[in-house]
Amino acid sequence: MLIDWFTIGAQALNFLILVWLLKHFLYKPILAAIDAREKAVAKELADAAATMDEANRKQAEFQARNETFDKERSDLLSKATQEAADKRKDLLEEARSAAEALSAKRKESLRNEAANLDQAIHDRCRQEVFATTRKVLSDLADTTLEERMGAVLTRRLAEMDAAARKTLGEALVSGPEPVHVRSAFELPGPQRTAIRKALHETFSVDLQVRFDTSPELVSGIELAANGQKLAWSVSDYLASMVKHIGGLLEQPAKARSHPKAKAATMPAQKAP
Amino acid sequence: MPLSPDQVVFWHHGFLKINATIAFTWVLILVLGIGSKILTRKLSTGIDRSRWQNLLEIIVTSINQQVGEVGIPHPEKYLGFLGTLFLFVAMANLGTIIPGYTPPTASLSTTAALALCVFVAVPLFGIEEQGMRGYLASYLEPTVIMLPFNLISELSRTLALAVRLFGNMMSGTMIIGILLTITPFVFPIIMTSLGLLTGMVQAYIFSILAAVYIAAATRARKPTPEAAPAS
């Protein structure tokens, strides 16, 4: 007999006992452990997600802050650069103005110096011309400069044409003041007398004549009355001399500034 | 050579007796029960866990998953019954590698007892899920004429469960025993390993069929939302 009913009942009971045992000692603890682990993992994942969200939020916040900082820094930098450029421009302008002012001042100073030097040369030349003339006249013609100046004035009075004589005569007669004769040197008595005589002979009236000496104003001798003037001056001679001397001084300067041209021209001069 | 371990009687007193089937079943109960108690004593709920815990978790979750794949909505509810069916049959069959051991499943009494348990459990689970009226009405589906055929089906599938497992295990044991007398060296080892495979397959088939019957009793005859308006 393959089927034993007692064994069937016992095995069914045994199986039910085994079901109860495994349910309590195997399935429940294992499933509880798995559930607990799944909950822990889910909690950790949720925490990680929350941490990630927080990190993302902070990252976005820091990024926005960094962008703000960068923008502010860029603005400040551009502002500082602009201010520096403006300051540089102002300083350059100021320096240029100062340099120009200094240059103008220096040019003015040089111009003044040159003018003073010209004047000094002019005065010295006049003195030298007078001294030389006086000495030459004394040595060669046995006369004085003052005599010759007086003679020249009287001769010019005598040689005046009719129109000029008339104009000057009217000026001399109509003026309230005496005739004013100024000279660079003190005129001796005979010359003064000769001038008075020449005036009388020329204009046929007795004129009051006043003689003055002003070497700084007059470069010779002049007769002035009521806006009319008759004079002899050394200024023309001096101007001519300055022109000649200037020409002499310019030649070496040109030669220095064009050495090749000079070198090229030298053999041509020597050839004949 | 005894055809069934029921015939190997160690002790008997009138109607009561202890044969090899009952004795080896008790051994299996002790091994499974005490082993489970020891291994689940210190379970870890964290990430780090022992190898034995890993093994047990793999077994339990695999059974749970298989039961769920059959179509049972809450497999944890039937895990105790179906999982024990699988583990008992599997352990009983794996024990054949131990010399002198006779699997309890090679006894028709054991397989009949297991089939009887399934035969009783299926309507119980069905009534629990659908109620007495709903479960009994399922025998009249699709028409009243099908009632006798449904009843025959219930009985025949129970008988088939018992005889299939018994036949496979008994034949495996018998073949190994016969071969041991003919070719005592290499060939029985091959047949033993084949028997192990057959035993695992039978455990799987037995428990899966039981799961299918339970699924059919608890869920299959429920009207689906799409079919409800038409009926």
Side-chain angles (χ1 to χ4, degrees):
Chain A
M1 182 69 180
L2 289 176
I3 291 181
D4 181 22
W5 291 107
F6 172 77
T7 307
I8 289 175
Q11 287 295 77
L13 185 65
N14 285 336
F15 177 72
L16 292 177
I17 290 169
L18 184 62
V19 168
W20 185 86
L21 283 174
L22 291 184
K23 206 170 185 176
H24 281 80
F25 296 136
L26 182 65
Y27 305 127
K28 272 189 181 177
I30 291 289
L31 289 177
I34 290 172
D35 286 345
R37 187 181 304 117
E38 282 180 351
K39 282 179 184 171
V41 169
K43 185 176 179 299
E44 284 186 6
L45 286 175
D47 290 346
T51 308
M52 182 66 87
D53 289 344
E54 179 69 15
N56 286 334
R57 191 183 63 75
K58 283 189 176 176
Q59 187 186 9
E61 188 180 328
F62 283 137
Q63 201 166 353
R65 200 177 292 171
N66 278 340
E67 285 174 358
T68 307
F69 284 158
D70 287 344
K71 189 173 181 303
E72 285 180 358
R73 189 183 64 181
S74 175
D75 291 346
L76 286 174
L77 193 62
S78 60
K79 189 180 174 187
T81 307
Q82 185 62 38
E83 285 179 355
D86 292 345
K87 186 72 178 174
R88 180 172 174 271
K89 193 176 173 185
D90 291 345
L91 285 174
L92 279 173
E93 194 64 33
E94 196 176 327
R96 190 178 292 115
S97 301
E100 284 176 356
L102 193 63
S103 176
K105 191 176 176 184
R106 196 174 160 206
K107 282 179 183 174
E108 183 64 27
S109 175
L110 286 172
R111 210 160 28 238
N112 289 337
E113 279 183 15
N116 291 336
L117 188 60
D118 282 349
Q119 187 61 43
I121 290 170
H122 191 270
D123 290 347
R124 185 66 182 268
C125 287
R126 188 182 61 189
Q127 289 171 7
E128 289 295 328
V129 166
F130 281 140
T132 305
T133 308
R134 183 176 287 114
K135 187 170 176 52
V136 168
L137 287 172
S138 174
D139 290 347
L140 298 179
D142 197 17
T143 183
T144 62
L145 178 63
E146 290 78 5
E147 285 177 14
R148 289 309 308 160
M149 282 167 56
V152 166
L153 187 60
T154 53
R155 193 182 71 214
R156 289 198 174 182
L157 283 171
E159 291 175 352
M160 284 175 69
D161 56 5
R165 185 179 299 170
K166 184 182 178 188
T167 305
L168 185 60
E170 288 174 354
L172 293 174
V173 173
S174 62
E177 291 182 355
V179 178
H180 196 187
V181 176
R182 293 193 302 176
S183 61
F185 311 101
E186 181 75 26
L187 286 173
Q191 271 69 42
R192 294 188 179 187
T193 305
I195 289 168
R196 281 196 189 95
K197 187 181 176 183
L199 284 171
H200 179 74
E201 288 174 353
T202 304
F203 300 108
S204 303
V205 287
D206 287 332
L207 296 169
Q208 290 291 323
V209 181
R210 195 182 74 196
F211 293 95
D212 282 335
T213 305
S214 54
E216 69 280 2
L217 294 176
V218 183
S219 301
I221 187 167
E222 69 176 24
L223 184 148
N226 202 17
Q228 295 293 320
K229 192 164 76 174
L230 181 69
W232 171 87
S233 175
V234 79
S235 297
D236 295 336
Y237 303 100
L238 289 175
S240 176
M241 187 177 73
V242 166
K243 188 178 176 184
H244 288 303
I245 290 172
L248 288 173
L249 289 173
E250 280 178 3
Q251 281 182 359
K254 283 182 181 176
R256 277 198 300 274
S257 59
H258 300 92
K260 287 182 181 177
K262 186 180 178 185
T265 54
M266 284 299 284
Q269 289 175 349
K270 282 179 182 176
Chain B
M1 185 178 182
L3 192 62
S4 167
D6 291 356
Q7 295 168 359
V8 182
V9 179
F10 299 124
W11 176 85
H12 74 97
H13 180 74
F15 182 68
L16 301 176
K17 60 182 171 188
I18 297 175
N19 53 30
T21 305
I22 296 172
F24 284 122
T25 304
W26 284 351
V27 170
L28 283 174
I29 288 172
L30 283 175
V31 169
L32 285 170
I34 293 172
S36 299
K37 176 67 179 171
I38 291 171
L39 293 177
T40 57
R41 200 172 40 185
K42 291 179 182 176
L43 287 178
S44 163
T45 56
I47 303 298
D48 296 328
R49 49 195 185 272
S50 66
R51 295 175 182 178
W52 283 108
Q53 185 177 346
N54 266 335
L55 177 66
L56 291 183
E57 285 186 7
I58 288 168
I59 291 170
V60 172
T61 52
S62 298
I63 295 169
N64 204 31
Q65 186 183 356
Q66 287 292 323
V67 173
E69 285 178 2
V70 168
I72 295 175
H74 302 290
E76 299 85 6
K77 190 176 174 183
Y78 310 101
L79 184 64
F81 182 76
L82 295 171
T84 307
L85 265 182
F86 175 78
L87 286 179
F88 176 68
V89 176
M91 287 298 291
N93 299 344
L94 285 176
T96 51
I97 59 171
I98 299 168
Y101 169 84
T102 307
T105 46
S107 157
L108 187 59
S109 303
T110 303
T111 56
L114 294 179
L116 201 63
C117 287
V118 174
F119 179 75
V120 174
V122 167
L124 284 179
F125 287 137
I127 291 166
E128 186 188 22
E129 198 70 26
Q130 304 185 70
M132 177 68 82
R133 189 182 179 85
Y135 177 73
L136 290 178
S138 67
Y139 282 99
L140 304 177
E141 296 290 337
T143 62
V144 182
I145 304 167
M146 291 301 289
L147 176 64
F149 299 105
N150 283 333
L151 290 174
I152 292 168
S153 166
E154 289 286 325
L155 292 171
S156 64
R157 77 188 186 189
T158 304
L159 185 66
L161 268 182
V163 173
R164 184 188 301 111
L165 183 60
F166 161 72
N168 277 291
M169 299 318 298
M170 185 270 288
S171 63
T173 311
M174 291 293 287
I175 287 168
I176 291 167
I178 293 165
L179 284 174
L180 276 174
T181 59
I182 302 169
T183 55
F185 294 110
V186 179
F187 203 66
I189 295 174
I190 298 170
M191 289 308 294
T192 303
S193 56
L194 190 64
L196 287 176
L197 178 65
T198 311
M200 292 304 294
V201 170
Q202 288 306 315
Y204 178 76
I205 288 171
F206 198 98
S207 50
I208 281 293
L209 281 176
V212 169
Y213 300 154
I214 290 171
T218 56
R219 196 182 64 87
R221 291 190 177 91
K222 278 186 178 178
T224 56
E226 291 81 10
S231 59

